[in-house]
């Protein structure tokens, strides 16, 4: 069952990313005017300078970087090694020609250029607050049990450090990874929501590096917006205008939590709602739908959509779920393993 949830998180990440790709970084009004309503995989439109490089059902840098992180963890047999993570992300970026395309966030681009010049990850400042760490955090949720919050935050911070070291970026990555990990452990969504604001606050205050609004408070606002909305369309409007759907961690991570709630944790519905939201649709979709997939397991992913993802991307996600299940069991406290 746990391995099914891990597999659900990997597929959810790819599903939300690929569904949200065509509309990424467009205002909500333009998404509506151009697409009407997105309810299936579509190619990136030529006029979208972030999505134009991708065909139908292809995922973007969000999932590519998540898999670069996952591959680095596999290379170190379940351990987090920031220099290998940075090297893997750089290898993907160069292979995709990402430096010359509008797909890398500003924080990641600066960090990867420094890594390219041979700077060790430990020497990089990386104090940006964009969502590049949170968007790739789903494998960390699959890897790390939640019995020790401080240890969990430290591992997520280490994995985020090749591109993001700021308090806010780490807090966002912790929130997404924690929600996924709790889901994999079998907790229900309501229980997870109750914990997330305090988890976010603890992570953000552990080593303060920026002046920023509280992610914990923004998550509380986001959940309140989703729960009091008069219908889905009104809820999406409120998330867009009040919570925000931009590329900053403070907006996109809180928006992702709101979208899980609005979709009532259904991964297929979540991917579709995020694609129509406006803003950083692929990233919000990747984070939110990974949580939904972890909550309900891979069987909850629509078989037609799953088949399209498999056919187009030619990836064996079951290899990841099997290996990560083993690494996770090694990290469980002794008494929980028996």
């Amino acid at each position: 069952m746990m391995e099914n949830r891990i597999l659900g998180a990997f597929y959810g990440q790819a599903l939300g990313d690929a569904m949200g790709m065509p509309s990424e970084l467009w205002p909500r009004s333009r998404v509506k005017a151009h697409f009407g309503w997105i309810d299936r995989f579509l190619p990136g439109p030529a006029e979208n300078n972030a999505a134009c490089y991708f065909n139908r059902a292809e995922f973007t840098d969000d999932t590519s970087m998540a898999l670069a992180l996952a591959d680095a963890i596999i290379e170190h047999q379940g351990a987090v090694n920031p220099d290998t993570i940075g090297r893997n992300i750089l290898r993907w970026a160069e292979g995709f020609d990402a430096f010359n395309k509008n797909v890398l966030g500003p924080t990641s681009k600066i960090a990867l250029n420094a890594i390219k010049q041979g700077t060790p990850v430990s020497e990089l400042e990386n104090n940006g607050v964009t969502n590049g760490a949170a968007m790739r955090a789903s494998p960390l949720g699959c890897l790390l049990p939640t019995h020790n919050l401080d240890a969990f935050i430290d591992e997520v911070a280490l994995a985020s450090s090749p591109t993001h070291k700021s308090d806010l970026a780490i807090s966002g990555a912790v929130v997404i990874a924690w929600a996924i990990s709790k889901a994999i452990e079998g907790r229900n969504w309501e229980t997870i929501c109750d914990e997330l604001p305090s988890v976010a606050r603890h992570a953000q205050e552990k080593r303060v590096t920026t002046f920023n609004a509280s992610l914990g408070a923004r998550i509380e606002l986001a959940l309140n917006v989703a729960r009091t909305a008069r219908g889905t369309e009104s809820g999406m409007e409120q998330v867009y205008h009040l919570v925000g759907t931009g590329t900053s961690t403070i907006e996109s991570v809180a928006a992702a939590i709101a979208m899980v709630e609005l979709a009532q944790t259904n991964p297929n519905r979540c991917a579709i709602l995020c694609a129509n939201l406006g803003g950083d649709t692929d990233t919000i979709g990747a984070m939110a739908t990974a949580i939904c997939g972890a909550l309900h397991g891979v069987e909850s992913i629509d078989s037609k959509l799953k088949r399209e993802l498999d056919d187009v991307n030619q990836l064996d996600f079951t290899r990841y779920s099997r290996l990560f299940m083993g690494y996770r069991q090694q990290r469980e406290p002794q008494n929980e393993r028996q």
Side-chain angles (χ1 to χ4, degrees):
M1 190 64 192
M2 203 178 255
E3 191 177 327
N4 264 2
R5 293 193 192 113
I6 292 173
L7 189 55
F10 275 99
Y11 268 106
Q13 165 95 23
L15 170 60
D17 187 0
M19 189 74 74
M21 170 271 291
S23 54
E24 67 170 307
L25 304 185
W26 273 6
R28 184 163 165 75
S29 54
R30 187 171 184 184
V31 174
K32 286 184 167 188
H34 186 93
F35 296 102
W37 182 255
I38 300 169
D39 60 3
R40 62 193 187 284
F41 292 129
L42 297 170
E47 55 269 59
N48 184 332
N49 65 0
C52 60
Y53 312 106
F54 301 101
N55 293 316
R56 182 187 59 80
E58 286 184 347
F59 50 70
T60 74
D61 60 316
D62 304 47
T63 305
S64 293
M65 287 196 194
L67 295 175
L69 167 58
D71 289 338
I73 289 166
I74 291 168
E75 193 174 325
H76 291 273
Q77 295 169 321
V80 172
N81 182 294
D83 286 305
T84 303
I85 293 167
R87 188 194 68 214
N88 281 9
I89 292 173
L90 178 62
R91 185 189 300 138
W92 166 79
E94 290 183 325
F96 189 71
D97 195 24
F99 289 99
N100 297 313
K101 295 174 179 174
N102 187 34
V103 293
L104 284 176
T107 310
S108 295
K109 188 176 276 190
I110 292 165
L112 290 174
N113 269 318
I115 291 169
K116 202 175 182 178
Q117 304 306 318
T119 310
V121 168
S122 59
E123 292 177 20
L124 299 172
E125 187 177 337
N126 293 351
N127 204 33
V129 295
T130 45
N131 56 22
M135 75 183 192
R136 66 172 188 261
S138 59
L140 298 170
C142 297
L143 174 72
L144 303 170
T146 63
H147 57 272
N148 183 328
L149 176 56
D150 278 306
F152 191 99
I153 293 168
D154 290 344
E155 292 264 35
V156 172
L158 199 60
S160 304
S161 66
T163 56
H164 294 76
K165 293 181 181 178
S166 75
D167 46 10
L168 182 57
I170 289 165
S171 179
V174 166
V175 164
I176 299 302
W178 184 267
I180 288 168
S181 186
K182 282 289 185 187
I184 287 167
E185 288 168 1
R187 301 296 172 87
N188 65 35
W189 176 237
E190 196 176 354
T191 308
I192 294 168
C193 286
D194 286 345
E195 293 179 352
L196 284 182
S198 63
V199 167
R201 284 192 184 94
H202 190 66
Q204 192 171 351
E205 290 165 9
K206 196 165 185 196
R207 192 178 72 87
V208 175
T209 69
T210 65
F211 53 94
N212 261 293
S214 161
L215 180 59
R218 189 67 66 95
I219 289 168
E220 286 172 339
L221 169 67
L223 285 166
N224 189 50
V225 162
R227 286 168 180 167
T228 58
R230 295 177 180 175
T232 307
E233 181 63 22
S234 169
M236 290 166 69
E237 281 284 320
Q238 295 276 84
V239 169
Y240 183 82
H241 289 293
L242 285 178
V243 181
T245 62
T247 58
S248 62
T249 299
I250 195 83
E251 293 189 10
S252 54
V253 168
I257 300 304
M259 296 311 285
V260 177
E261 181 74 20
L262 265 186
Q264 297 178 306
T265 73
N266 180 314
N268 311 298
R269 181 167 169 72
C270 187
I272 288 168
L273 294 186
C274 291
N276 291 282
L277 182 60
D280 201 359
T281 49
D282 59 323
T283 300
I284 294 168
M287 295 187 293
T289 313
I291 294 170
C292 294
L295 281 164
H296 299 294
V298 70
E299 291 86 359
S300 64
I301 308 279
D302 181 289
S303 57
K304 181 175 175 288
L305 297 175
K306 181 175 174 291
R307 195 161 51 247
E308 281 188 82
L309 286 170
D310 287 338
D311 290 348
V312 169
N313 298 292
Q314 294 292 304
L315 273 171
D316 179 13
F317 282 133
T318 55
R319 172 176 167 266
Y320 288 102
S321 64
R322 190 181 66 251
L323 288 168
F324 272 70
M325 181 67 198
Y327 301 147
R328 187 185 184 96
Q329 285 174 327
Q330 289 166 16
R331 287 170 171 268
E332 291 284 3
Q334 196 66 38
N335 60 344
E336 289 181 29
R337 275 191 245 171
Q338 291 163 357

